[in-house]
Amino acid sequence: MKRVAALLLLASLSANAFAFAPFVVSDIRIDGLSRIAAGTVYNYLPVDKGDQMTNAQAQRAIRALYDTKFFTDVELSREGNILVIKVVERPSISKLTLRGNKDIKSEDLKKGLKEIGLAEGETFDRLALDRVRQELIHQYYNRGKYNVSVEPHVTHLDRNRVAVEIEIREGKVSKIKEINILGNHAFTDKEIRSDFESGTTNWTSWYSKNDQYSREKLSGDMEKLQSYYMNRGYADFGIDSTQVTIAPDKRTMYVAADVKEGEIYKVTAVKLLGDLILPESTLRHLVIVEPGDTFNRALVEASTDGIKALLANLGYAFAKVTSIPKLDKEKRTVDLTLYVEPGQRVYVRRVVFQGNTRTEDGVLRREMRQLEGTFYSQAAVDRSKIRLQRLGYFKKVDIDKKLVPGTQDKVDVTVKVEEQSAGSMQFGVGYSQYSGMILSASVSQNNLFGSGDSFAISGERSSYYTRFNLNYYNPYLTDNGIGIGYNATYSKTDYGNTELANYETSTKAFSSYLGVPLGETDSLRLGLGISSNRIVTSFYSPPQFVAYQDQLGNRTEHAWTGTVGWNHDTRNGYWAPTRGGLLAASVDVALPGSTAKYWKFFAQANHYWPVGLGFVLYLDGQVGYGQSYGRNGISDAQFEALKAASAKEDPTHVLTDVRNDFPFWQNFYSGGVRDVRGFQDNTLGPRSCVGPRATQNPDGTCTGGYYSYAQPIGGAFKVLGTAQVFIPLPFLKDINTARVSWFMDVGNAYKDYQSFDAKQLRASTGLSLQWQAPIGPLIISLAVPIRSQKEDHHYEERVQFTFGSQF
């Protein structure tokens, strides 16, 4: 066939060139050009003015012009000593349309077609259409669609242009009818296939698609099959053959794999050879395969990966560690050698950022722990990636390394990011089952002008509160990462419109705070603030609140507050982490000179663990405690006078001294969509009936009071524990957008620490959806209380949700 093709090409070239008597070319003229510039042709032409033209030269010129794929016909002739080249241009592709493709996006298909040479603006080559057709069919075959049809259509347009339309009929995916493993005796088919992605049709196939054939999935399953045996000692296991049979209707597939199990092998020795760089004893600590162990390929790979990681941290970025098992089939033993090739130690010449169109390079660079001019460290690169991901500015962060051309000891590190919106402007309506309708407006920017600073201004209004907030934070006031922030708030609440304790507040506050880094994962927060809070109680308020305010002697509470907080954050993500955790503790103190002197302590500890198959376990514990110090409000003499007056007015009521009690407006509450789910927001904990002779019944109702049910009043002590398992779902691929979890919550609020009683803890369980919706974060929980009291039934909620800018 090659000889025939060569003869056809020679005949074509001979037909397009006259037999030239040798002559010296005085000039070159090109006829027939319309779209292609003459200069482009001259660049490809192997003939120039002053050259001697022969038949051999003519054939070379024609071949060179044909090879450009710009022309369908090339003809050479001579006018005197002028070389005349007559060409017929190939048409250009004016429009490329894909129709009928659903399984593969048009953008992805067009990228592949462009590599073949079929793209808008390119020269049209009809021979490329067949390559395109075969390539598309191949792609669909890989996805299990064997009855796909691909038909290209070409329409000629004016000005030597064409429109190409590729019509695709994808058909349906071929489904796996049977998977047969032949030759297995040590393990059952069910055991072997437990981790396979491919499977036969079952009740979960409607969403898992496991019964849809894919060449890539099958290849991965065969690798898993080999790993299954080799991780259990079968060092000489092999897959003799894999057969895939398709039914005549191209809708049903039959898969069979013939395996040779072999025997179980024991490890007799583990040797470390090569250029170890470090003392052998140091590397031995990373080898988790010991003589006498059953051979396990996973442990061997973990050992080689550990050695490579250690060397990569020392600058040997391209280190290789090869495992060489030597099998003794008679004794069924393995002599294992790990051969170390560290390669050249490299340092980083440059760190380059790509994809950050809004964010300044400096914002990314200050998070980098891999520095230019230093030896490469994989640990520093990994830490840099985590820090960038936790900024919340980027959907995706990838870091690559590449040797600098012409060198063996220098690499460039490229940080590729995909930015996401870090700011928003919202005017909307939200809803919470606790707050009712919420009107909100906000402008926020977590990456202000690409500087990494955050700024937010917001206002909200619901059935019981009005709130305005202004916040600014600069995370890098200094080069070593000390940040400074400012916050101003105004809020007005009327709890009389809720089922909580009836009182009103009007608060104005301003604070400033510093963020001080203590290391890669630890930070300190120091703050100082001032606030003014006007508190209004009435005879419809809980008597404890009225008595406290009477004895305090002020309707307006002024406070100077100091804050000290500590964070230890090892989470690997911003919105949806999958590993790592957070330890946090803070103390807020109303300093001497404040109307009420108190302190509040809050601590939280949580952690994420990936537990396999996409599942993530999350545990969280919280505790809050508050206490007054000193004596608040009136003197002892004033209290005795107030007590006497109260007794005279109502002899049945004895006024108690509450001047050392924790301020009620600072109380902790429990229950709600972000607390113990299954109970209304802030309704768990101490409750109080309101009225001169009101008494509380076991079911939470009140006898002789102003309200039917006892009002939640909160307390100075709170505990909360949560266990949560995030569940992978095939139709929720991007966990940064949405994820589902099963949870169990346990917690409650108490009057004070001495009142804590584990028997009073409430608990619930259920499912939760967290979704970053366009309208704002959305949380929906379906919860069932599994531990409650009769008095809680009025406040139980099975379905809870909140959305908009409420949280």
Side-chain angles (χ1 to χ4, degrees), residues 617-748:
L617 173 65
Y618 170 73
L619 298 179
D620 177 67
Q622 300 177 22
V623 60
Y625 179 60
Q627 186 174 325
S628 291
Y629 68 93
R631 295 298 295 264
N632 292 318
I634 61 179
S635 64
D636 290 344
Q638 290 173 318
F639 169 70
E640 292 300 328
L642 185 63
K643 181 178 178 182
S646 175
K648 185 176 181 180
E649 181 178 345
D650 183 1
T652 64
H653 178 66
V654 179
L655 186 65
T656 57
D657 191 349
V658 297
R659 288 175 292 166
N660 286 332
D661 286 356
F662 188 64
F664 63 85
W665 60 88
Q666 293 290 339
N667 276 351
F668 294 99
Y669 289 84
S670 185
V673 71
R674 286 184 173 272
D675 202 273
V676 182
R677 285 160 280 198
F679 301 91
Q680 293 180 22
D681 287 4
N682 302 330
T683 57
L684 294 181
R687 300 189 181 102
S688 175
C689 288
V690 179
R693 293 175 176 80
T695 58
Q696 184 174 338
N697 303 315
D699 62 355
T701 59
C702 295
T703 299
Y706 298 137
Y707 304 99
S708 300
Y709 288 88
Q711 295 182 337
I713 59 175
F717 183 66
K718 171 188 175 177
V719 292
L720 173 66
T722 295
Q724 206 156 223
V725 176
F726 293 99
I727 304 169
L729 297 176
F731 48 85
L732 289 177
K733 297 291 185 182
D734 185 4
I735 63 172
N736 288 303
T737 300
R739 58 181 183 173
V740 172
S741 66
W742 168 81
F743 65 85
M744 178 175 288
D745 298 328
V746 179
N748 207 348

Side-chain angles (χ1 to χ4, degrees), residues 487 489 507-514 525-533 557-564 587-600 629 662-663 665-666:
N487 181 264
T489 62
T507 306
K508 296 182 283 292
F510 176 81
S511 63
S512 180
Y513 51 94
L514 292 175
R525 179 184 172 109
L526 305 172
L528 185 65
I530 183 172
S531 65
S532 172
N533 184 10
E557 181 260 345
H558 300 283
W560 288 92
T561 55
T563 300
V564 178
V587 177
D588 294 321
V589 181
L591 302 173
S594 301
T595 305
K597 297 180 285 294
Y598 62 89
W599 57 267
K600 290 179 72 172
Y629 68 93
F662 188 64
W665 60 88
Q666 293 290 339

Side-chain angles (χ1 to χ4, degrees), residues 41 70 98 130 153 278 321 328 359 448 468 506 583 626 645 692 710 773 802:
V41 179
F70 293 156
L98 296 167
D130 186 60
H153 304 282
L278 296 171
V321 181
D328 186 331
T359 308
L448 188 63
F468 298 98
S506 179
L583 297 176
T802 180

Side-chain angles (χ1 to χ4, degrees), residues 253-292:
M253 310 289 292
Y254 299 86
V255 178
D258 190 7
V259 304
K260 180 182 177 181
E261 289 185 327
E263 303 292 340
I264 296 178
Y265 285 71
K266 294 284 187 178
V267 178
T268 55
V270 181
K271 303 174 183 176
L272 285 169
L273 299 178
D275 187 0
L276 303 185
I277 300 296
L278 296 171
E280 183 176 340
S281 58
T282 301
L283 298 183
R284 282 280 176 186
H285 290 299
L286 301 173
V287 179
I288 53 181
V289 181
E290 298 289 342

